[in-house]
Amino acid sequence: MQHRRLGRLGLTVPAIGFGCASLSSAYGPSVDDESVAVIHHAIDIGVNLLDTSDAYGNGHNETLVGRAIEGRRHEVILCSKFGNKRGTDGARLGADGRPEHVIASCDASLRRLGVDVIDLYYQHRVDPTVPIEDTFGAVKRLIEAGKVRFAGMCEAGAQTIRRAHAVQPITALESEYSLWTRDMETEILPTCRELGIGFVAYSPLGRGFLAATIRSPEDLHPGERRHEHPRFFPENIARNVGLLNVLEAVAGEVEATPAQVALAWLLSRGDDVVPIPATRRASRVDENARAADVSLSAEQCARLEAVFRPGVTAGTRYPEKQLGNMGL
Ligand SMILES: NC(=O)c1ccc[n+]([C@@H]2O[C@H](COP(=O)([O-])OP(=O)(O)OC[C@H]3O[C@@H](n4cnc5c(N)ncnc54)[C@H](OP(=O)(O)O)[C@@H]3O)[C@@H](O)[C@H]2O)c1
């Protein structure tokens, strides 16, 4: 596995990481024993950048990751998040960036993960009611106390990133970025580059769509979360499927899968971009990791970008209500 540097403070990570959210049944059922085996396989092949959050499965995901890394803590780069509150029933309760919440959340995450330190600790969603300086003042104190090594943000706006970075240097921004979600290219990615902040691309496979295996809502599990995502609504998915032709054509040319081409395209954006695809299957961990060996020509990238131009995707990337706390 190739490696990349995130930020300017010395964090080195594999070029492709592993998103753990879907191991808490985000996109269809998952079984804990199988999930632990999948995480072990990811670590074994060097995909050892593990991404979790206290919000995923309302704590379940951190507990699961903790179980998987028991005895193997030294082999992983452990990332978690705070501030995207959930009720005990999983209800979304909004963002909480109060310093006391940051400190208490970190202690709770450390307990669930069964570790002394989190390598990269992200603010999951910006809380517009708390000055970002106060939130990242608390993160700075966690770093000074040795509970966190590096600071990160998710889905933050450019001015907020600048203000937080002035209080505590930010190592990575983790926001949605993929062929069908290119909003970050106009302002956010250039801001990260100016400040020396790495970019962790979440949902790099478009929540599975860019693997070209989902062609209608019937291909999703009944009752799972993607049914609420507008891009997977019947009328939108029917339009979006047309985008896959170019992806499949390029995949054929380079003898790779569409998922690998989608990840290789992200890697080609710059050596500061690190995708974190998620899967419940070990064979797909292998497939996704091998995307780091796929090289696309400038002409192939240009063809992909001409079809997947910003704004072309039918449907918003999240349900309207959830979009409200992004880009703040
Ligand atoms: N910071 C944030 O706010 C935020 C938000 C969302 C996500 N994330 C992070 O980003 C990670 C990844 O995002 P994501 O899970 O939303 O989307 P994703 O990685 O784009 O897609 C995951 C989906 O793709 C499928 N898949 C994976 N590899 C495949 C392959 N090679 N061929 C066919 N299908 C494949 C998986 O199905 P199977 O499981 O059936 O393989 C799963 O349903 C999450 O786990 C989480 O850690 C962060």
Side-chain angles (χ1 to χ4, degrees), residues 150-188:
F150 299 99
M153 306 177 87
C154 302
E155 293 285 355
Q159 287 314 314
T160 310
I161 296 170
R162 285 181 193 283
R163 285 170 53 199
H165 190 68
V167 174
Q168 166 58 48
I170 303 296
T171 287
L173 178 79
E174 180 178 304
S175 288
E176 185 168 354
Y177 189 24
S178 68
L179 273 168
W180 79 344
T181 303
R182 296 178 56 196
D183 323 40
M184 294 297 148
E185 291 176 353
T186 23
E187 191 186 13
I188 302 298

Side-chain angles (χ1 to χ4, degrees), residues 215-242:
R215 290 178 177 271
S216 84
E218 284 78 56
D219 295 327
L220 305 175
H221 296 272
E224 62 134 294
R225 192 176 124 181
R226 285 174 291 191
H227 290 288
E228 294 160 31
H229 281 245
R231 289 180 174 183
F232 292 93
F233 290 175
E235 65 280 15
N236 290 334
I237 206 167
R239 281 176 55 196
N240 291 331
V241 158

